[in-house]
Amino acid sequence: PEKGKMATFVAALALAPLLSAGFSSPAAALGRPGRPCPAASVRMMPIGVPKVAYKIPGSTVGNWIDIYNRLYRERIIFLGQEVDDEIANQIIAVMLFMESEEAGRPISLYVNSPGGSVIAGLALCDTMGHISSEVATINVGMAASMASFILGAGERGKRLALPHSRTMIHQPMGRAQGQAEDIKVEAEHIMVVRDRIVNNYARMSGQPKEKVLRDLDRDRFFSAYEAMDYGLIDRVIEPAPDK
C-alpha cells in the first residue's frame, strides 16, 4: 500500500506543471483525452535541456518543449556559449522572426558567454541595430571579449548586469599563418577590425578612444559596478531588500 501511495504521489508531481499550464486533465496533458492515465505510464523528463509543458492556444493537445523555445515566445533570448557563426545565425534568425511578428516590442538578451568570433558578434550587433525592437542586454554571469561588446550594444538605458557578474574587454586576436604576404594582409585586416572595435566601445561607453585603446591592450576585467562606472552597462540589478 505504501508503494502504491508513493507511485501516485510521484505521478502527481510529474503532471503538476502540465495541469498548471492549462490542461483540463492528466489525459489531455499527455495528448490522450478520454483515455485513462495510470501512474505507470508517466515518464519523467530526461536529463539535458530542461523542458516545460506548453499547449498552443486553441489546441487540445500539449507537449513538452525545451525551455529556450518557450522563452522565445516571451521574446527572451539566451546567449550562453561561445560566440560563433552557428549561434549568431540562430539568434539573428530568432530576432528577425520576432520583428516580423511584433515589430517594436522589446526583446531581452541574457548574456553568459566567454566571447568568440568577432565577425559573428558584429553580425549580431548589426542586427540588433537594424530591427525596430529595442534589445535589452543583461549580463547574468560572464560577458567576456566579444560578449562584452554585445552587452554594450544593447539599448541605451537597458543594459543591465547582476551584482556578481563580470565583464572583460580586450583587443581582437588573429591566428594568421601561411605565406608572408598572407600574414601581412591578415595583420592589416586585424588592425582595421581593432579600430572599429575601439570606436564602438568608445561610443557605447562614452570613454575617450585613447583610454579604450589602452584598456584593450590587455585583458581588462570589470565587476558589475565597475562596468557601470565605465559605461558598458547602465544599471546593476540589486537583490530585493528582504533577501
Side-chain angles (χ1 to χ4, degrees):
E2 292 300 325
K3 290 184 179 179
K5 291 180 180 178
M6 181 59 69
T8 303
F9 178 70
V10 171
L13 288 179
L15 291 172
L18 287 165
L19 296 176
S20 65
F23 296 97
S24 59
S25 68
L30 293 173
R32 301 179 299 179
R35 296 180 59 183
C37 182
S41 68
V42 177
R43 298 180 61 186
M44 301 300 291
M45 180 175 62
I47 296 175
V49 177
K51 294 184 181 294
V52 295
Y54 182 73
K55 183 172 67 173
I56 299 174
S59 173
T60 58
V61 178
N63 203 353
W64 291 98
I65 64 173
D66 73 73
I67 193 166
Y68 298 111
N69 280 321
R70 179 66 183 91
L71 290 173
Y72 292 160
R73 301 174 187 274
E74 306 300 329
R75 301 177 78 85
I76 296 173
I77 303 173
F78 273 83
L79 173 58
Q81 65 180 70
E82 182 178 344
V83 180
D84 57 21
D85 291 338
E86 182 178 0
I87 189 64
N89 289 338
Q90 290 175 2
I91 294 178
I92 288 170
V94 170
M95 286 185 173
L96 293 176
F97 177 75
M98 290 177 177
E99 177 74 2
S100 68
E101 277 203 319
E102 291 187 73
R105 184 181 169 190
I107 297 171
S108 297
L109 175 61
Y110 287 79
V111 180
N112 185 16
S113 168
S117 169
V118 173
I119 302 303
L122 289 174
L124 177 53
C125 291
D126 285 345
T127 303
M128 292 165 59
H130 164 69
I131 61 178
S132 62
S133 301
E134 297 179 349
V135 180
T137 51
I138 305 97
N139 183 0
V140 295
M142 167 63 81
S145 188
M146 199 60 207
S148 68
F149 191 89
I150 295 170
L151 175 68
E155 185 70 22
R156 188 63 61 90
K158 297 183 178 180
R159 303 172 302 173
L160 314 175
L162 296 183
H164 294 100
S165 63
R166 293 197 303 163
T167 304
M168 188 271 281
I169 62 175
H170 63 190
Q171 61 180 309
M173 296 180 292
R175 297 181 177 86
Q177 58 182 354
Q179 301 181 38
E181 282 300 317
D182 292 336
I183 295 175
K184 180 181 177 182
V185 171
E186 180 69 16
E188 292 172 351
H189 174 69
I190 287 292
M191 296 305 293
V192 171
V193 171
R194 187 197 66 171
D195 292 342
R196 187 176 301 170
I197 294 292
V198 169
N199 290 336
N200 279 281
Y201 269 126
R203 176 182 57 82
M204 296 171 188
S205 64
Q207 298 289 342
K209 294 180 182 178
E210 296 76 14
K211 176 175 174 52
V212 173
L213 188 58
R214 291 195 303 270
D215 292 337
L216 288 178
D217 192 47
R218 291 291 183 269
D219 291 354
R220 173 72 188 275
F221 287 87
F222 301 91
S223 68
Y225 297 96
E226 289 170 343
M228 182 174 64
D229 293 339
Y230 196 85
L232 291 173
I233 64 169
D234 303 300
R235 182 166 62 88
V236 177
I237 303 174
E238 301 286 353
D242 57 343
K243 289 188 177 180

